[in-house]
Amino acid sequence: EAGVAQSPRYKIIEKRQSVAFWCNPISGHATLYWYQQILGQGPKLLIQFQNNGVVDDSQLPKDRFSAERLKGVDSTLKIQPAKLEDSAVYLCASSSVTGGGEQYFGPGTRLTVT
Amino acid sequence: AQSVTQLDSQVPVFEEAPVELRCNYSSSVSVYLFWYVQYPNQGLQLLLKYLSGSTLVKSINGFEAEFNKSQTSFHLRKPSVHISDTAEYFCATVSGGYNKLIFGAGTRLAVHP
């Protein structure tokens, strides 16, 4: 089966600009996650979707970050306006079950904000 | 809230030597534990997991980890490493009711010839 797809793989923007990332999860996976991985740190969950609905966005900086998952499949994560500290790898993952199920990760998008 | 501590940020080792990557978790009633591996410029891949049952879990490429409840640990071991094992390794646990993963800071394993 095809894995989790993400695009773009790399993005360089200036601060105060906006950027969007796209994720296509594994077919049939109801749960989709966006993680932020800052250099030298472990991934941190930004937002989790169960089908179309948000189940956890407690660590999403809502003044600048937004995410949506239309029709319970693809998802986009947007940053507007970007700050220097947003430089990180943004990972998308999906899973088919809750409560201990394995998460499958995409290759990530490396964002550099200058 | 659950948390995970990886005690070593970097572990250098020679090829064919044994290695142990240490992971401690905060205690909770139900514990699900994972080791993920991240090769350069790639996403995370599940290496092995403990959900219940046998406390010793093994991966297909020779790694194993033992769930130790009394020491709240889930250390990753391999008796003989290869150059290809060079990667970042993340220990993780589940927090809350929606399969939210909490990751440690990672351990960079560098295998030298």
Side-chain angles (χ1 to χ4, degrees):
Chain A
E1 68 183 358
V4 177
Q6 290 188 247
S7 68
R9 289 295 311 276
Y10 305 91
K11 190 73 177 179
I12 301 174
I13 61 172
E14 295 182 352
K15 59 184 179 183
R16 291 187 289 275
Q17 287 187 322
S18 63
V19 64
F21 313 127
W22 173 83
C23 172
N24 180 243
I26 291 173
S27 178
H29 281 191
T31 312
L32 185 147
Y33 314 78
W34 282 103
Y35 291 87
Q36 180 192 57
Q37 185 179 16
I38 293 172
L39 187 65
Q41 299 180 20
K44 180 186 77 174
L45 181 70
L46 291 176
I47 188 167
Q48 177 180 346
F49 293 93
Q50 183 78 7
N51 297 309
N52 289 345
V54 175
V55 296
D56 189 337
D57 63 356
S58 57
Q59 298 195 83
L60 186 74
K62 298 180 185 63
D63 57 334
R64 298 184 301 105
F65 285 64
S66 65
E68 61 181 6
R69 189 181 185 197
L70 300 176
K71 301 180 181 178
V73 182
D74 294 7
S75 177
T76 56
L77 176 69
K78 297 178 182 178
I79 307 175
Q80 183 179 9
K83 294 185 175 181
L84 295 177
E85 58 262 34
D86 298 332
S87 293
V89 175
Y90 291 85
L91 296 164
C92 180
S94 68
S95 68
S96 61
V97 295
T98 57
E102 176 179 353
Q103 295 184 24
Y104 296 82
F105 284 80
T109 296
R110 182 176 298 276
L111 173 67
T112 302
V113 182
T114 62
Chain B
Q2 287 280 70
S3 66
V4 170
T5 302
Q6 292 185 246
L7 300 168
D8 307 293
S9 60
Q10 296 186 60
V11 173
V13 64
F14 287 109
E15 194 173 19
E16 297 183 6
V19 71
E20 178 180 81
L21 307 183
R22 297 179 293 170
C23 172
N24 287 92
Y25 64 92
S26 61
S27 183
S28 180
V29 176
S30 297
V31 181
Y32 298 153
L33 293 161
F34 304 82
W35 276 101
Y36 279 83
V37 58
Q38 187 175 34
Y39 299 103
N41 298 315
Q42 295 186 28
L44 279 74
Q45 302 172 34
L46 181 67
L47 192 59
L48 45 75
K49 62 183 177 183
Y50 170 79
L51 303 181
S52 64
S54 173
T55 57
L56 183 66
V57 290
K58 300 183 178 183
S59 73
I60 59 173
N61 59 351
F63 282 94
E64 64 180 35
E66 186 162 18
F67 169 62
N68 188 319
K69 188 174 182 179
S70 63
Q71 297 186 6
T72 62
S73 68
F74 191 57
H75 301 332
L76 182 69
R77 302 182 180 95
K78 189 171 185 179
S80 176
V81 295
H82 302 288
I83 296 288
S84 59
D85 293 324
T86 294
E88 188 96 21
Y89 291 79
F90 293 94
C91 184
T93 188
V94 169
S95 177
Y98 289 101
N99 199 26
K100 172 181 175 178
L101 281 178
I102 305 297
F103 286 89
T107 298
R108 183 171 299 277
L109 175 63
V111 182
H112 302 285

